[in-house]
Amino acid sequence: MPMQPWFADAKLGIFIHYGIYAVDGVPESWSFYTGQVTRERYMKQLAGFTAAAYEPDDWARLFARAGARYAVLTARHHDGVALWDTAREDGLSVTRDTPAGRDLLGGYADALRAEGLKVGFYYSHSDWSHPDYPSVRHPDPDPVQAAVNDNPLSAPAPGAEDPAAWRRYLGYRDAQVVELAERYRPDLLWFDGEWERAEEQWGIDTLADAVLAVNPETVFNARMFSRGDYATPEQGVPLQAPDGPWELCLTVNDSWGYQGHDDHQKSVGQLVRYFTETIGAGGNLLLDVGPREDGTITAEQAARLEGLGDWIARHSAAVYGTVAGLPAGHHYGPSTLSADRRTLYLTCFDAPRETVSLRGLRNAVRRVTVVGTGAELGHEVTGGLHDVPGVLWIDAPSAGDVDEHATVLAVELDGELDLYRGTGRV
């Protein structure tokens, strides 16, 4: 199936790492895998997970105010704890094993759809709690991952492989993923944990075909190997954008799940920079929050989402319905381009002084305005020789038209964007 068109125009998604790890505020799954805490202590968090104040309608309204068009919730992380009442009794579930005692996915899916957002679920291929999981080894492990992967929770001792146990595990994983597809019909499935096995070991084709038989329009991230639809870099805008559709997943602070000691929150201004740099390079931003165990999102993180949403609302013309903007070197900052390729949107992080320059533009300019205020700006072209166009100089906006976080200028062209990319006379 071709990539679903909604994804490229979504621009912003919200990632939610929610699970029992929020009880003690320890790193999700990894804390017991690496020995930061014992597995016994980690699993004692099951008894403290209540979801007592979980209101998915509140989440959905917050995400909509942030300007998001989709969200992705951790249906099951590497710890194996499912957030729904899975029929698989060989796995852990908040319904059976925690005081929450109920499915947490159905209300989430309904709430998102009521706000017009697409529904996504995170699911880890790996399960460091399932007895059948550590039964085979990667045939050609990445040397960087080898030390991490040589863990009795994820791999057997050399020579102790058990293919029958691995087949049982795949049956468990496939059944859970098909449950998610059939019960909640997600628009997107965000897989993880793929590094521990090869594509053939995971049975990726079988899994993908089973999901697509339920909903042929389901979008997969690249952690479905050759069946993935888009790339998913983490925690830093790539200096060279991946080929095809992509998404940057980024935490608001330094943690995926809730960790009460982590108050290193990114500012709204920093999030605006990440966002504009990402969409300017043709990607989406998947911005992560970590709710407390009771299901509430902290005021600090909610304020960041709303602050970003306020900026997006003021500059929506430069966000939605756009594609990647100018290559590096034409403008000092990110940019986007309208879908008809006739309007450039230039982002200026600092208050412009005197002029804003645009280089290599062959088009004539019809008009330049400040997005959000509509103020029209003067402009002129100087220089240029033969094939090399002159520099477009745009008058700096007045102080009242400068945005607190990033000012955007709309440059309306006389036709589709035409750029000069040559070396000039040599």
Side-chain angles (χ1 to χ4, degrees):
M1 294 294 293
M3 183 57 166
Q4 297 305 307
W6 68 262
F7 182 85
D9 197 43
K11 307 304 182 187
L12 179 67
I14 305 298
F15 211 176
I16 313 105
H17 275 67
Y18 184 41
I20 67 168
Y21 35 86
V23 174
D24 291 342
V26 295
E28 59 292 331
S29 304
W30 289 99
S31 54
F32 77 86
Y33 188 80
T34 61
Q36 179 178 335
V37 300
T38 65
R39 187 175 183 280
E40 180 183 16
R41 177 184 165 188
Y42 184 93
M43 289 303 171
K44 282 184 177 179
Q45 293 177 107
L46 288 164
F49 186 75
T50 67
Y54 172 58
E55 294 291 346
D57 291 343
D58 292 345
W59 283 12
R61 286 190 288 267
L62 173 62
F63 301 161
R65 291 196 300 275
R69 297 289 178 86
Y70 66 108
V72 178
L73 172 62
T74 49
R76 203 213 71 191
H77 208 269
H78 316 314
D79 60 11
V81 181
L83 295 192
W84 78 100
D85 53 337
T86 175
R88 292 295 304 220
E89 295 185 357
D90 51 343
L92 297 167
S93 165
V94 297
T95 304
R96 292 190 297 264
D97 302 306
T98 76
R102 67 187 190 282
D103 166 45
L104 301 180
L105 301 189
Y108 157 87
D110 292 343
L112 290 188
R113 291 190 169 113
E115 292 293 331
L117 277 67
K118 297 292 186 181
V119 175
F121 290 122
Y122 167 112
Y123 185 92
S124 176
H125 292 294
S126 56
D127 184 338
W128 297 332
S129 294
H130 196 283
D132 288 329
Y133 182 68
S135 52
V136 296
R137 300 176 68 89
H138 196 298
D140 186 23
D142 182 340
V144 176
Q145 293 284 355
V148 177
N149 290 351
D150 196 18
N151 186 307
L153 293 173
S154 62
E161 288 84 356
D162 186 345
W166 182 246
R167 288 192 294 273
R168 291 195 300 269
Y169 177 76
L170 291 182
Y172 154 79
R173 182 211 54 182
D174 291 357
Q176 284 201 325
V177 174
V178 170
E179 276 185 355
L180 293 173
E182 291 180 340
R183 195 177 304 183
Y184 311 109
R185 302 190 72 83
D187 303 285
L188 184 153
L189 283 172
W190 205 106
F191 288 93
D192 199 9
E194 83 298 341
W195 67 87
E196 293 199 317
R197 304 288 188 266
E199 178 170 2
E200 295 76 15
Q201 289 176 305
W202 284 123
I204 291 297
D205 281 336
T206 298
L207 178 61
D209 290 345
V211 172
L212 296 177
V214 177
N215 179 12
E217 296 183 348
T218 306
V219 174
F220 299 135
N221 70 338
R223 297 169 197 194
M224 280 289 277
F225 295 90
S226 63
R227 301 298 293 271
D229 296 302
Y230 69 94
T232 310
E234 296 187 23
Q235 294 289 50
V237 179
L239 296 181
Q240 181 174 339
D243 293 333
W246 64 280
E247 159 198 85
L248 169 66
C249 47
L250 178 79
T251 52
V252 170
N253 55 8
D254 292 333
S255 308
W256 296 104
Y258 173 74
Q259 296 187 42
H261 63 84
D262 184 358
D263 60 0
H264 192 212
Q265 313 287 341
K266 297 172 181 68
S267 69
V268 172
Q270 288 172 327
L271 294 177
V272 168
R273 289 195 178 216
Y274 274 109
F275 178 66
T276 54
E277 289 171 354
T278 299
I279 67 171
N284 291 351
L285 178 62
L286 185 64
L287 186 59
D288 177 79
V289 296
R292 303 180 186 92
E293 70 80 17
D294 66 0
T296 56
I297 294 172
T298 68
E300 293 81 6
Q301 295 202 337
R304 267 78 179 168
L305 296 190
E306 292 186 327
L308 177 59
D310 289 342
W311 186 90
I312 291 174
R314 293 193 299 272
H315 302 89
S316 60
V319 174
Y320 306 116
T322 65
V323 296
L326 298 166
H330 291 273
H331 161 63
Y332 293 115
S335 60
T336 55
L337 179 64
S338 61
D340 66 4
R341 303 184 63 81
R342 290 173 175 264
T343 303
L344 267 172
Y345 297 100
L346 309 179
T347 300
C348 304
F349 292 130
D350 299 315
R353 295 181 296 176
E354 186 184 357
T355 54
V356 174
S357 64
L358 178 57
R359 296 168 297 284
L361 183 66
R362 286 188 171 123
N363 302 79
V365 173
R366 296 176 55 232
R367 188 171 70 142
V368 180
T369 55
V370 180
V371 176
T373 71
E376 189 161 349
L377 304 178
H379 56 89
E380 65 171 347
V381 176
T382 63
L385 179 65
H386 303 309
D387 292 339
V388 182
V391 175
L392 173 69
W393 300 96
I394 302 168
D395 292 345
S398 65
D401 292 310
V402 172
D403 186 86
E404 176 186 5
H405 302 302
T407 304
V408 181
L409 309 182
V411 181
E412 299 176 26
L413 310 175
D414 66 347
E416 293 189 13
L417 176 66
D418 184 9
L419 290 179
Y420 175 77
R421 298 284 290 164
T423 60
R425 182 177 179 181
V426 294

